Amino acid sequence: MSGWKAPVALVGARWALNKYRDRKRRPTPAERALDLAAWAGAGALLGVGASMVAENRRSERLNGRVAVVTGGTRGLGLQLAREFGAGGASVVVCGRSRDNLDQAVADLTGRGIDAHGVVCDVTDREQVRALIGETVERFGRLDIVVNNAGVMRVGPAEAMQDAHFTEAMDIMYRGPFNVAREALPHLRTTEGSLVNITSVGAYLTVPHLLPYSVAKHAWACLSEGLAAETGGTGVRVTTVVPGLMRTGSHRGVVFIGEPEREYAWFALLAGMPLLSTNADRAARRIATASARGQGFLVINPTTRIGMALHGLAPGTSQQLMRLTGRLLPSTPEHVSERTGNESGDSTMGRLAESVAALNERAVDRLNQDTRDRR
């Protein structure tokens, strides 16, 4: 009996038995407890069976497909490339650093994945055109494109320069725009998928992440607009809304103002299990949503709660964000700027890392430690 038929048959048998008992006599407390245990077991088996069916279908839908992942050299992008590759897809990853790109491709090919790397800055339309062209020339088709490339600076808005806002908009709005423009003609041919990794920051702006949130808001608007505009073309657009994820990204983030203090709160929150999501689980859910053609995906419950609160009571959520902003470090007289790898080399940073040990484990596994690279 296949993986999903056994649980269904068990549920049906329990239902018939309960109906028969109800006709004969009132069940005893022991029988009720037995029934409850049987239903719980059947539900668990049904869930496992459904998960197995979904996993098998995802593999079937990905087998032989070609996926492009921007920002695929580390973090969530690298894990997504692994996930698509594990499902049978050929994968093209792009990034701006050749060293990081070579390391990512070696990781993927070492897992038996047909992988290729292309140096590409998504803010440059010509480079994006070359990326898509090289992918189609090499593999003959294009089925999935994941807009994942991003940049994050953490610190008070007063400490940010105009160039930081421009950089964020270039990478996280114009970048996805360029990729979508070049990829959509090919995706129409294959009835493929465009996946946009936005953020809870696109819907609920968090203090000390203003350039990031502004750009992510524009990106989310672009994604939802493309989903509406491509109706009837065969292309499926998936808007993904992650919250905090344990990808080791705190090492690659740039911290501004008082870097050590900014690093401490960010690393601590990003590594807390109840607030953040494991990168492997997030990547699996995104790959499955892409294979199904799901239009909108919220990764974790805390993100869903935050979005719901802002939608139902925006004034309340705004007040909560104002309170949060008061608790975060203020702008110092002398503003400093350091990467996470540099900022974490302090007593406060090491303490935060020890508490958020789960996130630290993701650093090497997801290619985030850049201290020894150029």
Side-chain angles (χ1 to χ4, degrees):
M1 189 174 287
S2 64
W4 63 272
K5 290 181 181 178
V8 171
L10 182 56
V11 171
R14 292 305 308 172
W15 178 83
L17 180 59
N18 282 342
K19 284 294 184 182
Y20 176 77
R21 284 176 175 171
D22 288 343
R23 291 180 60 185
K24 290 293 183 182
R25 60 181 173 80
R26 191 176 187 83
T28 65
E31 288 173 333
R32 286 194 184 123
L34 182 61
D35 285 344
L36 182 61
W39 277 107
L45 286 172
L46 186 60
V48 171
S51 177
M52 291 173 61
V53 170
E55 198 71 17
N56 290 336
R57 287 181 178 172
R58 179 175 66 82
S59 296
E60 291 173 4
R61 289 169 177 162
L62 290 176
N63 192 36
R65 302 294 191 266
V66 177
V68 169
V69 182
T70 70
T73 61
R74 60 184 182 176
L76 179 64
L78 177 57
Q79 189 60 37
L80 280 170
R82 292 170 179 170
E83 195 67 29
F84 283 114
S90 298
V91 181
V92 175
V93 292
C94 80
R96 292 182 292 183
S97 166
R98 169 53 68 181
D99 289 344
N100 289 351
L101 195 63
D102 290 343
Q103 186 166 342
V105 171
D107 174 282
L108 295 168
T109 55
R111 297 168 185 264
I113 298 170
D114 187 4
H116 180 60
V118 178
V119 174
C120 178
D121 180 346
V122 295
T123 67
D124 187 322
R125 185 69 170 269
E126 292 303 317
Q127 290 188 39
V128 172
R129 183 174 293 123
L131 165 68
I132 300 300
E134 186 172 335
T135 299
V136 175
E137 181 179 358
R138 183 182 181 92
F139 294 104
R141 59 186 296 143
L142 179 62
D143 300 276
I144 303 165
V145 174
V146 182
N147 268 319
N148 172 73
V151 63
M152 183 181 288
R153 293 179 184 272
V154 178
E158 188 179 354
M160 300 285 182
Q161 300 175 14
D162 291 357
H164 298 153
F165 286 85
T166 301
E167 177 192 46
M169 287 296 294
D170 282 346
I171 294 175
M172 293 183 288
Y173 169 68
R174 293 185 180 85
F177 176 83
N178 289 338
V179 173
R181 283 290 204 183
E182 295 300 325
L184 280 173
H186 300 281
L187 295 177
R188 291 191 187 99
T189 301
T190 59
E191 295 189 348
S193 297
L194 176 65
V195 181
N196 293 301
I197 312 297
T198 66
S199 169
V200 64
Y203 301 92
L204 183 65
T205 302
V206 178
H208 288 217
L209 287 168
L210 192 54
Y212 177 83
S213 293
V214 168
K216 286 286 188 176
H217 184 81
W219 187 348
C221 182
L222 174 67
S223 183
E224 293 184 37
L226 287 173
E229 294 280 351
T230 53
T233 66
V235 177
R236 297 158 297 175
V237 179
T238 301
T239 303
V240 179
V241 187
L244 291 168
M245 287 184 291
R246 296 190 292 277
T247 63
S249 63
H250 60 293
R251 290 291 190 90
V253 170
V254 175
F255 295 91
I256 297 175
E258 294 186 78
E260 289 78 13
R261 293 183 63 196
E262 296 286 352
Y263 176 87
W265 76 259
F266 185 88
L268 183 62
L269 292 179
M272 293 182 69
L274 294 179
L275 293 178
S276 61
T277 303
N278 178 275
D280 295 15
R281 179 174 179 272
R284 282 194 299 271
R285 291 195 63 191
I286 293 168
T288 299
S290 171
R292 291 176 177 172
Q294 185 175 337
F296 204 91
L297 174 65
V298 180
I299 294 293
N300 59 28
T302 53
T303 299
R304 192 178 297 278
I305 291 169
M307 292 173 66
L309 174 62
H310 187 64
L312 293 171
T316 300
S317 68
Q318 184 69 78
Q319 287 300 320
L320 288 173
M321 290 301 102
R322 285 173 63 86
L323 176 61
T324 302
R326 294 179 63 180
L327 297 174
L328 295 177
S330 58
T331 305
E333 183 178 354
H334 300 289
V335 173
S336 300
E337 179 175 327
R338 297 189 187 92
T339 66
N341 281 323
E342 296 168 332
S343 303
D345 191 20
S346 66
T347 302
M348 190 178 297
R350 286 190 289 270
L351 178 61
E353 290 173 0
S354 65
V355 175
L358 289 175
N359 208 12
E360 279 299 299
R361 294 174 191 170
V363 171
D364 291 329
R365 187 168 58 84
L366 295 175
N367 204 14
Q368 293 281 20
D369 194 343
T370 59
R371 283 173 293 189
D372 297 326
R373 292 183 231 145
R374 298 291 183 269

